[in-house]
Amino acid sequence: MTKGNQPLHLHLFQPLAYTMEHKSNSEKPEDSYIRLLGKLDKSPSGCEATLQISYRHSDGIDFEIEKIGFAQPPEKAVQEAVAAGKEIPLPEHNMEIPAGTYIFEQIPWLPNKESFESSLLSFSCAPGFPNQGFFFVRLLKENSLEVIMQLLGPLS
């Protein structure tokens, strides 16, 4: 998460758009994560998913899924806009990671179910994070064999 002792920052000039997925109130974050990995495994390259997770530091740290989103691979118009450095046309959506500046970490390995929570703990306990709030877990299917995980925490 850091370069030297400084956290990495990511600035999104536009929101990242998703279609909201069903969320069970009893589903734990690690179960939602595994469910999304299964869906990405069956989906084409370029798909992505996100979990909006709220947290609260108290005697421990409690995590709760606020929203779950999924996005299909970008259409040709989006790919052309990216290649030309233009504004990306947003698809119809009902969930997004808003434009803004985020503390950013790309996990060098894809956690299994057991180590997923420790990734969340490490990120939410980083310097500069408030005692409660939310962050996003972004899962991107890079190719048929690789999914990457990014963590984005909004800067206030």
Side-chain angles (χ1 to χ4, degrees), residues 59-155:
D59 293 337
I61 300 179
D62 299 317
F63 296 108
E64 185 178 329
I65 299 292
E66 294 293 326
K67 297 178 185 175
I68 300 172
F70 196 84
Q72 294 298 324
E75 295 179 1
K76 188 159 181 76
V78 171
Q79 294 172 8
E80 290 170 354
V82 168
K86 295 182 178 176
E87 188 172 331
I88 299 169
L90 290 177
E92 190 172 314
H93 64 285
N94 58 3
M95 180 187 173
E96 62 183 38
I97 298 177
T101 303
Y102 294 85
I103 295 174
F104 174 80
E105 182 176 2
Q106 183 162 310
I107 305 298
W109 72 95
L110 195 60
N112 61 22
K113 182 177 180 177
E114 291 73 30
S115 62
F116 178 70
E117 186 173 2
S118 60
S119 296
L120 303 182
L121 282 167
S122 174
F123 189 68
S124 66
C125 291
F129 261 71
N131 285 337
Q132 66 182 36
F134 70 92
F135 59 90
F136 296 96
V137 175
R138 185 177 180 214
L139 302 167
L140 296 92
K141 186 168 184 178
E142 291 281 296
N143 57 52
S144 61
L145 300 175
E146 186 175 19
V147 173
I148 61 170
M149 182 170 128
Q150 299 173 338
L151 301 169
L152 295 87
L155 288 173

Side-chain angles (χ1 to χ4, degrees), residues 8-65:
L8 294 176
H9 291 172
L10 172 71
H11 187 76
L12 296 177
F13 291 99
Q14 287 186 242
L16 300 174
Y18 299 91
T19 301
M20 201 172 318
E21 295 274 305
H22 171 73
K23 171 184 93 71
S24 166
N25 289 337
S26 62
E27 192 171 52
K28 295 179 180 177
E30 59 270 19
D31 295 327
S32 298
Y33 167 73
I34 293 300
R35 182 167 56 87
L36 286 176
L37 286 180
K39 184 171 181 170
L40 285 168
D41 189 47
K42 297 173 188 166
S43 300
S45 296
C47 286
E48 63 178 86
T50 192
L51 299 165
Q52 182 178 333
I53 298 178
S54 65
Y55 68 95
R56 179 179 180 87
H57 295 248
S58 52
D59 293 337
I61 300 179
D62 299 317
F63 296 108
E64 185 178 329
I65 299 292

